[in-house]
Amino acid sequence: MTATTPDNGFRARLRRAARGTVGFAIALALCGAGGAPALAAEGDGAEPSSVSLHLTAGVRGVVSPGGAVTASITVQNDGDAALSAGRVEVEIDRTPLADQEELSSWLADEGTDEADGFVPVGGDDTTAVDGRSEAITTVTIPQESVADLAPGVYRLRAQLDGAATGTGADSVSQDAAATSVLVIAADQRPQVTVLVPITATPAARSLLTRDELIELTAPDGDLTAQVEGVSGTSAVLAVDPSIPAAIRALGTAAPAQVTEWLDRLDRLPNERFALQFGDADATTQSQAGLPALLQPNTLAPFLQPSDFQPRPDATGAPTTAPTPTPTAGPQFPDDETLMAVDGAVQSILWPRGGVTPDDLSRFTAYAGDAVTSVLPSTSLAGTPSGHVTIDGHDVLVADAAASDALSDAAAEPDTAARGRALAAANAALFFTAQATGGAPLMVGLDRDDDRTADALREAIVAADSPGVGLSSLRAAPPVAGALADEPGDARGTSLQMLLAEENELVAFSSILDDPQVLLSPERIRILRVIGVGSSAKRFDADVTAHRSATRETLAAVDIPQSSTIQLLTANADLPFSVRNDLPWPVNIRLTVKPSDPRLEVEPITPATIQAGTTSRVKVPVSARVGSGELSLGLSLSSPTGVPLGQPQSVRVAVRAEWEGIGLAVFGGLIVVLIVLGVFRTVHRRRREADGTDAADTNADANDADANDADADDADADPTPDRGVE
């Protein structure tokens, strides 16, 4: 629609709304928000509303000279109350910004700039917006309003008026403002290469687990979003080799979804190179004075034999009288095979900034004379182009301002809020291209594991030049460059401390059958602590956490404190507790030293303590003293003599004479019991004998009486003679 003339209070209302949000905007920093939230109606105690504007014009902030311009204004209502219709007005400052510094200042101030020069270029009525919703209003800026603008970057702002929440007496006016930029493109667009890191950080900061890979490669997973975001673009991929290593380490146990993701990554036509394992920072290692880049010790502890067993012959051919053959063991891939990034360009390092000439020399020692280092433009003096040489060292330069803005856009899931960051990125590229005379440029996105595919793709497309990649940028004639004098930091010193404590773990690990089950994850965690994407605050926190974990590991095997032991015999096996909090069995030697030579002990007792247990180690002891109190000094060491834990002292109360007393008492009790037993036995037998004699006498008497009775019966009743009548 045609331009309209706002009322005389437009600028006042815009400044009033913007001033109320300046603190919020500065906290978000450059391009961190798509627009400024509004303030509630004026008055004491009024709370800020959740209504905000997002403004963008052209195609991601860019229009061709003399072309028509369309501005898109999104009214976002994050509150519960509905927002009534209102009117939005758009203004442009016809004086172009001079440089990147003015651009950053304008975007950071969120429209509070009081400078004159803004003129209205269009407006339109907005529709009502329900709570938790948004509405888009399109304002067409007449061609004649911008036709005479020379190529450059121009300030743009919008103001919402007349909208309110609530009705009647409860109505609250809502004002909102938004700022952006409009880039009138130059005749020739600069050739831009975009670097995209493909990274993922495991929760345990070692190697990604099977469950984590399943989650990351799911349709809504972060790794899936990264691959989908770069698909169809010319972005150059910087792949962390720990990701394919974690997938290949699963062998046949890798889910199909996970292996399909790796196959999809390998099939992408994009140029790529490998980051250091865990995206470790070469600058930190150089400033720690390391002669070579750190590498994982070995990935063997992460491999399971059952996942790499030879597969049986599946040809289906009949078998007749098979000849027995020895069963082949698992065929483990080597570390180089596990970590390979297919199609990767060699000798590329992408460290963080803050390098010195000595660092560049060490990079050559790390990766060979043909190494190319990728550095942010803040590490170099002036405004260098994408390809430079510094003291004979090959360097690709990533435009810092454009990289920051594009990284913000790629991290913004909201489409409306993303437009402002995309416009800022194109504005930064415009200034860099003007300063370098149109030389090829490079943009490097931040390390970020959590991006949506749409946001990543739009950020790449906003700057990426099709057909331009790493090879073409390296082939461009370099210009001479110089390093900036950047203040150093203490990351190199912190790495030295981490490596010194790793050496302590190397000695400590001699208690394990396979020390690499401890040392291999430890090295990988160190690599992740010094990752390029780690901010200063996060780096300090990670170093502190890692050192604390190391101290806990070193203290995981020790002797718990014990109370006084009573020794009641001259010879005994005393049990001493040994604690093992590690998830693996440990081999230890318990050393016992008495404070008095009259107590003889086995000086060294080897033992194996199972994982996660507190076990007792029995030590033979012989007392030469009948009574007294002595001390035993206890200490642990590994089979190679490395001290473990803290030494302990145990009091032993010797009561060896109690053994004789106890034996005498016990013997006496036995004699008494025997005598009582004999007495009872004799007494019982006598009673049994007396009872038997009495029974026999009674039995004889009874028999005699019976015989007499029978004789009497015969005399009284004689049998008659049947032969006499």
Side-chain angles (χ1 to χ4, degrees), residues 198-202 208 216 223 226 240 242-243 449 528:
I198 306 296
T199 59
T201 304
L208 290 166
L216 291 170
L223 284 177
Q226 293 183 52
D240 181 353
S242 70
I243 300 175
D449 300 347
R528 294 195 186 278

Side-chain angles (χ1 to χ4, degrees), residues 51-53 73-77 83 126 129 133-136 160:
V51 177
S52 58
L53 288 186
I73 301 96
T74 301
V75 181
Q76 188 169 320
N77 180 14
L83 180 70
T126 63
V129 184
S133 301
E134 63 181 33
I136 299 176
L160 174 66

Side-chain angles (χ1 to χ4, degrees), residues 617-636:
V617 179
K618 294 183 178 181
V619 178
V621 177
S622 177
R624 295 181 179 179
V625 62
S627 177
E629 288 196 358
L630 307 172
S631 295
L632 293 179
L634 307 180
S635 61
L636 289 179

Side-chain angles (χ1 to χ4, degrees), residues 68-217:
V69 181
T70 299
S72 177
I73 301 96
T74 301
V75 181
Q76 188 169 320
N77 180 14
D78 291 329
D80 294 326
L83 180 70
S84 68
R87 183 169 182 81
V88 67
E89 299 287 350
V90 180
E91 285 188 328
I92 191 171
D93 182 358
R94 298 179 59 83
T95 301
L97 295 171
D99 51 28
Q100 180 64 47
E101 183 177 356
E102 285 192 2
L103 171 66
S104 300
S105 176
W106 162 247
L107 294 174
D109 286 345
E110 292 285 352
T112 60
D113 195 305
E114 299 286 347
D116 294 331
F118 280 92
V119 296
V121 290
D124 200 358
D125 295 330
T126 63
T127 60
V129 184
D130 294 334
R132 308 295 176 183
S133 301
E134 63 181 33
I136 299 176
T137 299
T138 301
V139 175
T140 301
I141 300 176
Q143 184 175 359
E144 58 270 18
S145 298
V146 295
D148 58 341
L149 296 180
V153 179
Y154 297 86
R155 292 182 292 185
L156 200 66
R157 64 187 183 187
Q159 167 73 28
L160 174 66
D161 281 323
T165 54
T167 58
D170 296 330
S171 177
V172 179
S173 176
Q174 303 288 350
D175 292 332
T179 62
S180 186
V181 291
L182 179 65
V183 181
I184 306 297
D187 294 335
Q188 184 176 359
R189 176 186 172 90
Q191 299 294 301
V192 181
T193 299
V194 180
L195 300 187
V196 179
I198 306 296
T199 59
T201 304
R205 302 187 68 80
S206 180
L207 204 63
L208 290 166
T209 64
R210 184 178 187 273
D211 291 341
E212 286 175 327
L213 287 170
I214 291 174
E215 180 181 354
L216 291 170
T217 58

